Amino acid sequence: MGIRAAVVCLRPVTAPVAALVTALVMTGCASARDPSVAATAQRFLSAAGDGRGGAACRLLAPEAARSLDDCEKDIVSIGLRAGTIRGVEVWGNEARVRVDGDTLFLHRFPDGWRVRAAGCRPRPDQPYECEVRT
Amino acid sequence: MKRLIRENSLSLCFLLLFLAALAGQSVAGAAAFNAEQAANGGSPVGWAEYVTSSSFAVDVAENWQSEYLQFFLYILITVWLVQRGSPESKKPGEEGLETDAEQKVGRYAEPGSPAWAAAPGWRRAVYSHSLGIAMGLIFLLSWLAQSVAGLAAYNTEQLAQLEDTVGWGGYVASPDFWNRTLQNWQSEFLAVASMVLLSIFLRQRGSPQSKKVGDPHAKTASSG
């Protein structure tokens, strides 16, 4: 994976009534890059890597936090570490952030981005395998 | 005003039906979308956010493209192919573009003919095919819109399921794109074939889409 920190900008904002034309123009690249995705991922990884389990758990999606027996303890024992952002891809309310040696999936909630899966590794022809996920 | 409405009642009726159906689709679609969000551990979205989403756009566009393809093909194919006994068809022997006199173009144009029907060169050529061109263009734009909105909806779904995304080229070669496309096409083609064949033997009194009730089954190209 090369250094590709560019955001694939496709927050689909398509005007349905005029879908013929606007779908082409607007969904093609309707939003600017969203720096808060990468920032949330970095804050989450830093917190987990520094042993601040409470802060890390507050950045997890509720379902992901509930999947751990003891979120604040478990999230710091997984071995997550902050690293250089290698790529951010945003589609609708979903995002994937690649960092050195890790991949995170995030979801946009009304109050901002939350991590729905972390410690993820790709598997051929299957969903990513993740240490924590919704 | 009353007269204006009466004389345009067919168009107005279908435009109102279109808006009502689109509104209904947006409400039902938002509910289905939010049920899926909840199942994936995501947050629900409001109606306004849903109707500006790629998910709603692809559902709208995939139906639009198939409808316009249906009319585009019907307009074009009925120039050359006929069905004996169908009011939707020309009479056998009349296949083709017909003569300038029959089409009232060029020097055969009448005082009330559109200006471009009488005009020479490209204007007459374009106007002679303008209905097919318009339907064909709207079909292509709708299909393109389906591919772009479909790509966004597909990749959103991929990320929600912790899977990798695809590019536009990969998406238009994907089963998702062709499943959405062909499931609409097959129903349109069946509906046209049904209309052409059933209208040979069945009648709807007063409808210009039907033969007159007393017309023989073998009578082609009439309306009542």
Side-chain angles (χ1 to χ4, degrees):
Chain A
M1 184 63 60
I3 297 177
R4 191 170 59 87
V7 174
V8 174
C9 49
L10 216 157
R11 163 102 172 88
V13 186
T14 308
V17 176
L20 283 180
V21 178
T22 49
L24 302 178
V25 177
M26 298 183 75
T27 62
C29 195
S31 75
R33 54 189 300 164
D34 186 346
S36 62
V37 182
T40 301
Q42 285 286 36
R43 284 208 314 276
F44 169 78
L45 289 173
S46 296
D50 294 347
R52 292 179 284 117
C57 286
R58 281 192 291 278
L59 292 171
L60 275 177
E63 287 277 312
R66 278 195 290 273
S67 73
L68 300 171
D69 292 331
D70 183 342
C71 185
E72 295 191 13
K73 187 176 161 194
D74 294 347
I75 199 69
V76 297
S77 63
I78 293 172
L80 300 171
R81 293 284 178 273
T84 306
I85 300 283
R86 298 297 183 187
V88 177
E89 194 167 349
V90 179
W91 295 88
N93 287 333
E94 308 294 334
R96 184 188 59 204
V97 177
R98 294 189 195 281
V99 297
D100 285 328
D102 198 356
T103 300
L104 289 82
F105 291 85
L106 295 92
H107 177 81
R108 188 193 339 244
F109 286 85
D111 58 345
W113 291 97
R114 295 287 179 272
V115 177
R116 74 185 316 171
C120 301
R121 288 172 297 281
R123 294 181 295 178
D125 300 323
Q126 288 187 72
Y128 280 63
E129 187 173 39
C130 304
E131 298 290 344
V132 56
R133 56 170 295 183
T134 53
Chain B
M1 185 64 181
K2 264 187 174 177
R3 185 178 162 197
L4 191 71
I5 292 173
R6 196 180 73 242
E7 290 181 350
N8 295 286
S9 56
L10 184 60
S11 309
L12 290 171
C13 174
F14 274 97
L15 283 173
L16 287 174
L17 285 172
F18 161 69
L19 291 175
L22 191 66
Q25 181 192 346
S26 72
V27 173
F33 182 83
N34 281 333
E36 197 175 325
Q37 287 287 102
N40 287 330
S43 54
V45 299
W47 179 85
E49 186 175 354
Y50 174 70
V51 297
T52 55
S53 73
S54 57
S55 180
F56 182 61
V58 68
D59 288 348
V60 170
E62 74 177 48
N63 283 280
W64 286 20
Q65 60 88 1
S66 67
E67 301 299 336
Y68 282 99
L69 174 67
Q70 175 193 34
F71 279 104
F72 169 67
L73 289 180
Y74 202 40
I75 290 163
L76 230 61
I77 289 174
T78 50
V79 173
W80 300 101
L81 302 182
V82 296
Q83 175 58 58
R84 185 180 296 280
S86 177
E88 300 288 322
S89 165
K90 296 198 285 191
K91 291 181 178 130
E94 292 180 352
E95 296 93 333
L97 297 174
E98 304 176 11
T99 64
D100 284 359
E102 286 168 328
Q103 287 291 318
K104 302 176 185 173
V105 296
R107 64 193 176 94
Y108 300 101
E110 296 174 345
S113 296
W116 281 30
W122 68 269
R123 283 180 297 171
R124 192 198 310 169
V126 167
Y127 192 68
S128 295
H129 300 281
S130 52
L131 186 58
I133 290 170
M135 290 295 183
L137 274 179
I138 297 173
F139 157 65
L140 286 176
L141 285 173
S142 303
W143 203 19
L144 193 54
Q146 178 197 327
S147 75
V148 174
L151 171 69
Y154 181 78
N155 278 342
T156 303
E157 186 71 21
Q158 286 290 101
L159 291 183
Q161 294 174 354
L162 312 183
E163 295 191 55
D164 276 327
T165 56
V166 298
W168 184 83
Y171 180 67
V172 296
S174 74
D176 184 83
F177 177 72
W178 285 102
N179 182 42
R180 284 179 178 276
T181 296
L182 293 172
Q183 68 173 296
N184 283 283
W185 287 7
Q186 57 86 12
S187 63
E188 304 302 337
F189 298 154
L190 175 66
V192 171
S194 304
M195 183 64 190
V196 169
L197 291 171
L198 291 175
S199 61
I200 298 172
F201 306 105
L202 305 179
R203 309 285 187 269
Q204 181 60 53
R205 186 170 180 156
S207 173
Q209 303 305 307
S210 165
K211 292 192 278 194
K212 291 189 188 305
V213 179
D215 275 343
H217 293 332
K219 186 172 182 183
T220 309
S222 69
S223 67

